[in-house]
Amino acid sequence: MGIENCRIIGLPKIQDPRGNLTFIEGGRHVPFDIKRVFYLYDVPGGAERGGHAHSRLQQMIIAMAGSFDVILDDGYVKQRFHLNRSFYGLYIEPMIWREMDNFSTGSVCMVLASEPYDETDYFREYEDFEKALPTRTR
Ligand code: TYD
């Protein structure tokens, strides 16, 4: 478990002069069955989203339009990812604190999730997240 398992995954892209097409199959292009989809849009300039972690939830974040940054933190290492293409997804495993900022005007952030919405799966306080992390030897 850790940030090293979070990664950018390239999605299939069917190039066509009429417009490109990307598709995503749960368990094939994302390493989980997709149980929920949600999206952020109409994000005002300077806004920050996220600021939480999940106990069990796996997610993939895709910039469907525009661009934004996702900052991941496993309690030991922090990494910033810039998402700006709709054929790349950022896979996030459980127990990763995430923040999102730098949204461009008109950006749309789509999230594929491995579970339905469950507030009890959230860590909303960084301190609670840190306390729940498994002890590491490295
Ligand atoms: P939240 O996950 O806290 O988003 P952010 O951390 O970016 O602010 O969700 C914001 C609100 O939306 C919160 O009250 C819970 C609600 N929500 C749902 O009801 N269902 C969902 O699938 C999601 C993602 C959020």
Side-chain angles (χ1 to χ4, degrees):
M1 210 182 252
I3 213 163
E4 62 275 9
N5 297 323
C6 299
R7 59 192 182 277
I8 300 281
I9 295 178
L11 299 166
K13 183 181 177 193
I14 312 290
Q15 274 188 302
D16 191 306
R18 299 169 302 159
N20 300 331
L21 184 152
T22 285
F23 55 94
I24 306 167
E25 294 178 10
R28 185 171 168 213
H29 305 109
V30 292
F32 54 82
D33 285 335
I34 301 163
K35 299 245 179 71
R36 175 169 52 118
V37 178
F38 61 93
Y39 31 94
L40 300 171
Y41 53 97
D42 292 346
V43 179
E48 292 175 10
R49 303 286 317 213
H52 61 252
H54 290 280
S55 169
R56 292 176 304 279
L57 191 72
Q58 302 174 71
Q59 293 179 317
M60 178 182 267
I61 301 184
I62 302 168
M64 296 304 282
S67 64
F68 50 83
D69 290 356
V70 184
I71 305 103
L72 301 184
D73 174 358
D74 65 4
Y76 299 84
V77 179
K78 242 186 187 190
Q79 196 174 342
R80 179 178 284 268
F81 294 86
H82 182 63
L83 296 182
N84 63 354
R85 302 311 303 258
S86 51
F87 51 88
Y88 285 122
L90 175 62
Y91 169 71
I92 307 178
E93 69 164 18
M95 294 306 287
I96 302 286
W97 188 267
R98 86 285 315 273
E99 282 161 14
M100 302 173 65
D101 63 15
N102 204 17
F103 286 89
S104 69
T105 306
S107 57
V108 179
C109 165
M110 182 176 78
V111 183
L112 310 178
S114 65
E115 304 296 335
Y117 175 72
D118 175 8
E119 185 59 36
T120 66
D121 189 64
Y122 278 77
F123 290 97
R124 297 254 182 216
E125 300 296 332
Y126 191 85
E127 208 186 336
D128 297 338
F129 160 68
E130 270 189 313
K131 279 188 201 147
L133 285 171
T135 314
R136 291 204 177 179
T137 47
R138 71 175 160 90

